[in-house]
Amino acid sequence: MSDNKKKILEMLAQNKISADDAYRLLSAIDGGEGRRESGNKAGTAVKDKAKYLRVTVVPGADSERSGNCDRVNIRVPMSLIRAGIKFTSLIPSDARDKVNLALHEKGIDFDERNMKPEDIEELIGALSDLEVDVVSKNGESVRVFVE
Amino acid sequence: MKRPPMLMHMRIQGEKGGFGLWLPLFLLLPLALVVFIILSPLILVAAIILWPSGWGKRAFLSLRAAIEVFWSMRGLSVDVHSGRQRVSISVV
């Protein structure tokens, strides 16, 4: 039994709240826990689904005919991204301060030290919704997506 | 359980010619294990000396992270064409 539920029952026992209030509060707590559980399940499903980060550059028809074109096809496993992010925790503190300072100068207030493992998982989970699709005037297409 | 990468295929194509290379990564794993066992006394001494300064722990964590990165490389594929030049790397 959670602390919150215990507190509610204690308040009921001390007649500080009515039985109806206690029921409403307990239902609200159960609903919140249920939502959190289903959210976690959805997060796990997304994590399982997203396997690769893909970056593709496809030239336009005109550039392809001329033969002077660039074509890029990169597939990075999500597990490799996860392992790479963990590497950042090994950056020496003085080097990290320099990185943070450089980011601050560029207007980005981000401190990597504040990143927790669960934040990294959430970030990677959120990557599954990422899709960048850019088509230039000459028909060149750049796509970044997760599959 | 994640499986380690077994093979790495590299292909580099230039204007005048190119080459392809299959690297049997599965053969590197026993080799790395043997090297690690041989060097383990030295690693242990280095870790004991460096531990108070904090670098020993950092070295161990780096080794662990490097192994994790290697283990996660399965499925990586990079294929870049530019004109007649081509670089292709895939890990299976």
Side-chain angles (χ1 to χ4, degrees):
Chain A
M1 190 189 294
S2 71
D3 286 347
N4 289 339
K5 282 182 182 174
K6 252 183 206 170
K7 270 183 199 167
I8 292 165
L9 292 174
E10 278 169 11
M11 284 161 78
L12 180 65
Q14 290 161 7
N15 283 332
K16 286 184 182 172
I17 54 171
S18 66
D20 284 345
D21 291 338
Y23 177 74
R24 253 197 319 265
L25 289 167
L26 287 170
S27 303
I29 288 173
D30 286 341
E33 281 174 359
R35 272 196 302 276
R36 207 174 303 136
E37 270 175 29
S38 61
N40 285 347
K41 276 178 193 163
T44 313
V46 164
K47 201 171 74 182
D48 290 344
K49 206 174 80 178
K51 284 185 89 175
Y52 300 106
L53 177 72
R54 294 283 308 271
V55 180
T56 60
V57 179
V58 179
D62 293 342
S63 340
E64 202 158 17
R65 264 195 296 275
S66 68
N68 187 22
C69 59
D70 296 336
R71 187 184 281 270
V72 177
N73 190 358
I74 296 172
R75 187 179 69 179
V76 184
M78 297 304 269
S79 56
L80 186 59
I81 295 173
R82 206 172 277 123
I85 291 173
K86 280 182 192 165
F87 244 120
T88 57
S89 62
L90 300 169
I91 299 171
S93 56
D94 49 343
R96 195 176 291 165
D97 290 341
K98 283 181 189 171
V99 171
N100 286 340
L101 190 68
L103 285 172
H104 184 73
E105 281 169 6
K106 297 275 181 193
I108 304 165
D109 278 324
F110 174 74
D111 191 346
E112 191 272 322
R113 275 172 290 206
N114 297 336
M115 286 277 279
K116 295 178 195 126
E118 55 264 29
D119 295 335
I120 293 170
E121 286 303 318
E122 201 176 332
L123 184 74
I124 289 170
L127 271 178
S128 62
D129 298 328
L130 174 82
E131 185 155 355
V132 179
D133 199 347
V134 182
V135 181
S136 69
K137 278 182 196 167
N138 57 5
E140 192 177 60
S141 158
V142 178
R143 282 190 75 203
V144 181
F145 59 99
V146 171
E147 64 177 19
Chain B
M1 190 185 151
K2 271 192 290 186
R3 285 185 297 163
M6 293 287 146
L7 291 165
M8 179 188 268
H9 182 225
M10 286 175 69
R11 189 176 168 78
I12 297 172
Q13 186 81 42
E15 295 281 345
K16 291 174 184 171
F19 69 94
L21 191 66
W22 283 95
L23 286 173
L25 297 176
F26 63 92
L27 291 179
L28 289 180
L29 289 172
L31 202 68
L33 189 68
V34 170
V35 171
F36 183 75
I37 290 167
I38 292 167
L39 293 178
S40 56
L42 287 174
I43 294 169
L44 196 67
V45 170
I48 290 166
I49 293 167
L50 293 172
W51 203 268
S53 65
W55 282 100
K57 190 182 176 188
R58 197 177 291 277
F60 265 109
L61 290 174
S62 303
L63 186 70
R64 194 180 138 192
I67 291 168
E68 203 171 330
V69 165
F70 175 77
W71 229 254
S72 311
M73 279 177 69
R74 194 187 182 96
L76 177 72
S77 168
V78 178
D79 193 8
V80 181
H81 293 244
S82 181
R84 288 182 181 181
Q85 294 176 320
R86 180 183 179 185
V87 176
S88 171
I89 298 167
S90 59
V91 182
V92 286

